[in-house]
Amino acid sequence: MEAAAPQFTGMLFDAAAALAEYVGAADGLIAALPAKPERNTAQQELAEDVHHACRSARRRFLGLHTDAVYNHLTACRTRRLRLPELVQAGADQFPGLLPSRVQLDAESGQPQAHKEGHEIDQGIFCGAVLRSPEAGGHLIDTMLMPTPRSLALLDAFRATGTLELDSVLLELRGQAAHITFRNSHCLNAEDNVLIADMETAVDVALLDDRVRVGVLRGGTVDHPRYRDKRVFSAGINLKDLRNGAISFVGFLLGRELGYIHKLSRGLLTDPDAAAWSDRTVHKPWIGAVDTFAIGGGMQLLLVLDRVIAESSAYFSLPAAEEGIVPGLGNLRLPRLAGARLSRQVILGGRRIHATDPEARFVCDEVVDAAELDDAVDRAIAELAAPAVAANRRMLALAEEPLDLYRQYLAEFSVVQVARTYSEDVLAKVERRWQASQARG
């Protein structure tokens, strides 16, 4: 890019104006090129140079002004903007800092390989916010609060004891809330819809006073190999990743700041209370694993209080083979399984079977498939004891301090979104997609 890189001052809006002018000129250069799939090598190299220059400018801008930007967007942290609202407000009020709605809409529905990678710029912004103790802490608290959708559906669940969402079923049975994954067409793999539905179900279960324990389990699936069998989860939906339907804000970062963190740390219901025990609602969670827990499915198990698996089940984190980062598995698995086994699983793709000795680091109990329901009922009875919620709250604070969580997520935000646009990942998901098309 020939234009001189902007020189930012300590004045927020002067620096923002300089960034907007620089990025606006860069966007003009990109717009003059053919669409990404139609570019020749020289044109694509030019586009990459332009994006690199703009990202360097954004990083320098945020290095000076992250807290000021966040305070401006949230009225000095008096407004609670959830992640989607925050990035949209940043795009609207600081042009060039984040992709505009027009830019994102123009790429909606396109394969991942055909996109410019505007979500990488969202990752840079979110990483900077999370790197800040003040701004990052405020965002984490905001994302621990119930969603508006959850609050709107709470009364219906209280009245009926059932909440049917597109990909999740929530049922009250006695003192337990049973959440069943119902993405049957894709082995209960995670997609944007499932992530949103899971957060709603977890919120409602935590808000309903009748619920003492939560249970996660996969429903039956349609895949010919496993038809009518329960499957816990196949992890991220790689077909959706190939097709550009896995979002950074709603999925890659949103699941970590949203429902998974709520499972771990509880639901923030009173952000103004001084004591964490008064601010949050905590309940213990059980995972019942049928068939397998792959990728994001295994990541879920790392925050649950009791994991029960059928004897033929297995666990794996194939993120290294897929080319991406397994969420917070890199942070949490070493705490449970130790560094050496974690490297074998994460870097080497080792699969752990429920009957392996090492399975004790991932699950608490292994039973025959026919005995799984009874084992879950016993676990519910044990974890419904009054002191369990208080003690698991203290365990969560000791095992994963908020600052450690925040610092990990700051780096994860940048690394994970970049990996989803890297050539090796795009090539792998394309090969898998082509193979699935050939099979019909």
Side-chain angles (χ1 to χ4, degrees), residues 309-343:
E310 61 155 311
S311 55
S312 62
Y314 67 87
F315 320 95
S316 69
L317 290 174
E321 189 274 329
E322 294 167 350
I324 57 177
V325 177
L328 271 73
N330 305 58
L331 176 65
R332 291 168 175 156
L333 185 61
R335 185 173 69 233
L336 298 175
R340 188 55 51 206
L341 181 58
S342 297
R343 280 169 167 75

Side-chain angles (χ1 to χ4, degrees), residues 264 305 335 388-401:
S264 170
D305 302 287
R335 185 173 69 233
V388 169
N391 278 289
R392 63 101 58 190
R393 176 188 289 118
M394 301 308 293
L395 282 170
L397 289 172
E399 290 175 344
E400 192 174 287

